[in-house]
Amino acid sequence: MEDETPLRERLVDVGADMLATEGIGALGLREIARRAGVSHGAPRRYFPTHRSLLSAVAARGFDALKDRLDAAVDPAGDPRTQVCRLAEAYVGFAVEHRPMFELMFRHDLLESGDDGDGADAADGLPRLRDKTLPMFASVVALIARHRQDAARERPPGPGNAPAVAPRPEDAPAAVAAVFWANVHGIAQLWNWGSLSLTLGAPAPGDPHAHESLAPLIARAVDAHLGPANP
């Protein structure tokens, strides 16, 4: 029976399946078209370039990551706890979906939406920056709320540090950016096997072995948000 899935979605489905089983190197435009059962020129109707098709595949990954983070985080909960949960979910996704995670951040292969190529969102192609920026904004909001809570608990006065003018590098967005880089580095080094060598952690062959990274993630949170009980 002929696949009734619209061609655009079928091409992305095929690309995502190939990525999961064969890695980024397998994602040739002709091969994706062949496995989708269409001529090698057919994808051009929806994806003018190879990069635009890979971007559509990567967009699936960002949607899945967002779902994972949304399920892990309670925006109304204690912000410090939510930052920890968000980081653990991020690392878990990176480990469990390694090929997709690698593609999502291969900006040399993707169209982020601000590449200067004149692309217009009206063409229906995914703009990856529109998927990543809201996720980053949610981290910034959690860090800002943590700061506000900490300030209420420790107002300037006897026994507490005096208030000082905030530095640009201490702004929630700057802290969020450095924290993201830290957590992303943990995920990447784990996937490469480096952390299991340096920390004596379990080898990454066990799909749940990355759960041993929770203490390391907690240390990263301490480093960027301050100790839980100063």
Side-chain angles (χ1 to χ4, degrees):
M1 178 181 296
E2 184 178 353
D3 190 343
E4 296 297 330
T5 304
L7 178 57
R8 186 185 188 284
E9 293 304 306
R10 192 158 84 244
L11 290 165
V12 178
D13 289 343
V14 169
D17 289 343
M18 290 174 61
L19 176 63
T21 57
E22 302 172 49
I24 296 174
L27 297 180
L29 191 61
R30 285 177 175 265
E31 183 59 17
I32 292 175
R34 186 187 71 79
R35 297 195 194 187
V38 297
S39 69
H40 68 267
R44 302 290 183 184
R45 296 193 317 224
Y46 304 96
F47 304 104
T49 65
H50 186 207
R51 291 180 70 200
S52 62
L53 176 52
L54 295 185
S55 297
V57 174
R60 289 275 185 90
F62 280 110
D63 288 340
L65 175 59
K66 180 181 183 301
D67 290 344
R68 178 92 167 232
L69 299 182
D70 287 348
V73 174
D74 175 8
D78 170 66
R80 184 190 187 86
T81 300
Q82 305 316 309
V83 169
C84 284
R85 290 179 179 174
L86 182 148
E88 290 172 3
Y90 187 92
V91 172
F93 178 89
V95 173
E96 295 166 23
H97 304 280
R98 178 176 177 177
M100 177 64 82
F101 185 76
E102 291 179 355
L103 176 65
M104 288 161 58
F105 296 98
R106 282 292 303 273
H107 297 294
D108 56 320
L109 299 179
L110 306 176
E111 294 174 348
S112 67
D114 57 356
D115 300 325
D117 58 4
D120 186 346
D123 62 12
L125 298 180
R127 294 294 176 259
L128 298 182
R129 69 189 308 273
D130 295 334
K131 294 181 179 292
T132 57
L133 292 181
M135 285 191 285
F136 179 71
S138 68
V139 183
V140 175
L142 285 172
I143 290 174
R145 192 153 61 85
H146 168 75
R147 290 276 184 82
Q148 293 168 355
D149 290 352
R152 282 194 295 267
E153 293 172 3
R154 292 176 58 83
N160 290 338
V164 296
R167 301 175 301 173
E169 60 267 31
D170 292 331
V175 174
V178 178
F179 177 68
W180 179 22
N182 194 166
V183 172
H184 189 91
I186 290 172
Q188 193 69 278
L189 290 172
W190 175 263
N191 279 342
W192 288 340
S194 300
L195 283 180
S196 61
L197 293 174
T198 57
L199 297 179
D206 178 352
H208 299 291
H210 66 275
E211 294 171 3
S212 66
L213 293 174
L216 185 61
I217 292 172
R219 291 294 298 273
V221 173
D222 287 346
H224 297 292
L225 271 63
N229 296 299

